[in-house]
Amino acid sequence: MDKKYIWKKEYTLVLVANLVYIIIFYFITNIYTK
């Protein structure tokens, strides 16, 4: 149970990190295209 909970927590962190990275990348590309 503990291992599954930790894995789920880490997986959620990875998903959030990917979302943040995509948003930052989107803003950087917008700044360069303007």
Side-chain angles (χ1 to χ4, degrees):
M1 286 292 280
D2 284 337
K3 272 187 179 181
K4 267 192 176 181
Y5 179 73
I6 289 160
W7 185 82
K8 272 189 177 181
K9 220 178 174 184
E10 282 178 1
Y11 189 70
T12 306
L13 262 171
V14 170
L15 282 176
V16 171
N18 281 337
L19 259 173
V20 171
Y21 180 77
I22 289 160
I23 290 159
I24 289 163
F25 186 76
Y26 178 77
F27 274 113
I28 288 164
T29 47
N30 272 1
I31 289 160
Y32 275 112
T33 47
K34 276 180 183 177

